[in-house]
Amino acid sequence: MKTYRNNLNHFFSLVEALEKLPSIGKKSAQRMAYTLSIENKNLALQISHCIENAIDHVSKCSICGGVSESEICEICLDENRHNGQICMVLHPRDIFTIEEIGDFKGIYQVISELEMFDFITLKKQIQKFQIKEIIFAFSPTLANDSIMLFIEHNLQDCDLIFTKIAQGVPTGIGLENIDQLSLARAFSSRIKL
Ligand SMILES: [Zn+2]
């Protein structure tokens, strides 16, 4: 087996690279590597082209931290979305989930690396965009509750209402795994902190 494997360097390099992707285990990585290198080489080329383009053109919005293909994302640039609400999320992909529901009309802020989070810039945005309400769209865990308290504490000198999305969001589950109806309900019946 060892010699057989040793002569498949390129194949197993691909397997090992794919295994590094989130939620891809060894078996899935092997299946994908087989499809890409043997069954569907055209798909493989298409994917490699998409990956190259994504690396070159996709980054984070310099204001909200969401996924963007320009320095500032479409949501931050859209004046109609400056309605006095900021929705705080823990990951840029949560913005996709909430945008799919389509009910939220404000702007977003991604809270990543809380220790290094720039509250001074956020406070400037809050002033500039006349923000009145901070909505925390976090799934309910003890760790997330303490993040909310930490943010609230750091923004206590701003004149803000803090709310969080309501019940119906199961404990310990990422936003992306919640069905749209539950998340829409959780948004519309949010609770004041
Ligand atoms: Zn943005």
Side-chain angles (χ1 to χ4, degrees), residues 11 38 55 64 110 147 159 164 171-172 176 185 190 193:
F11 181 78
I38 295 169
I55 292 168
C64 68
V110 180
I147 296 173
D159 188 16
K164 63 176 180 180
T171 309
E176 62 195 336
R185 276 204 201 113
R190 55 189 185 274
L193 288 189

Side-chain angles (χ1 to χ4, degrees), residues 61 64 73 76:
C61 168
C64 68
C73 76
C76 288

Side-chain angles (χ1 to χ4, degrees), residues 27-42:
K27 290 242 165 81
S28 305
Q30 284 187 5
R31 270 201 300 271
M32 287 163 87
Y34 188 80
T35 300
L36 296 169
S37 51
I38 295 169
E39 289 178 331
N40 198 338
K41 287 179 191 281
N42 278 339

Side-chain angles (χ1 to χ4, degrees), residues 61-66 68 71-77 108:
C61 168
S62 63
I63 296 179
C64 68
S68 181
E71 204 217 322
I72 300 172
C73 76
E74 289 296 308
I75 297 174
C76 288
L77 283 175
Y108 295 93

Side-chain angles (χ1 to χ4, degrees), residues 48-181:
S48 80
H49 184 64
C50 290
I51 290 175
E52 228 170 276
N53 280 336
I55 292 168
D56 288 345
H57 300 290
V58 183
S59 58
K60 287 183 185 174
C61 168
S62 63
I63 296 179
C64 68
V67 178
S68 181
E69 297 202 10
S70 45
E71 204 217 322
I72 300 172
C73 76
E74 289 296 308
I75 297 174
C76 288
L77 283 175
D78 184 352
E79 281 182 17
N80 295 323
R81 301 218 38 164
H82 295 287
N83 69 348
Q85 293 178 322
I86 290 185
C87 176
M88 301 253 176
V89 294
L90 291 174
H91 196 281
R93 62 177 180 260
D94 294 339
I95 298 177
F96 296 135
T97 311
I98 298 167
E99 283 299 294
E100 262 172 50
I101 302 169
D103 288 347
F104 178 64
K105 302 283 183 248
I107 53 172
Y108 295 93
Q109 181 63 57
V110 180
I111 305 292
S112 50
E113 297 172 46
L114 194 60
E115 311 77 43
M116 290 158 65
F117 189 77
D118 182 2
F119 281 100
I120 296 164
T121 307
L122 178 61
K123 280 182 189 177
K124 282 184 193 154
Q125 307 289 0
I126 287 170
Q127 267 198 330
K128 185 177 164 196
F129 298 129
Q130 298 177 312
I131 299 300
K132 302 273 184 296
E133 182 181 1
I134 302 278
I135 303 165
F136 293 105
F138 298 174
S139 58
T141 65
L142 277 178
N144 288 352
D145 280 353
S146 45
I147 296 173
M148 284 185 235
L149 288 175
F150 182 76
I151 295 166
E152 196 180 347
H153 175 75
N154 277 277
L155 299 175
Q156 60 188 353
D157 49 343
C158 305
D159 188 16
L160 292 165
I161 299 168
F162 295 90
T163 58
K164 63 176 180 180
I165 56 172
Q167 306 295 323
V169 178
T171 309
I173 287 182
L175 276 200
E176 62 195 336
N177 296 316
I178 300 166
D179 69 279
Q180 290 199 356
L181 187 63

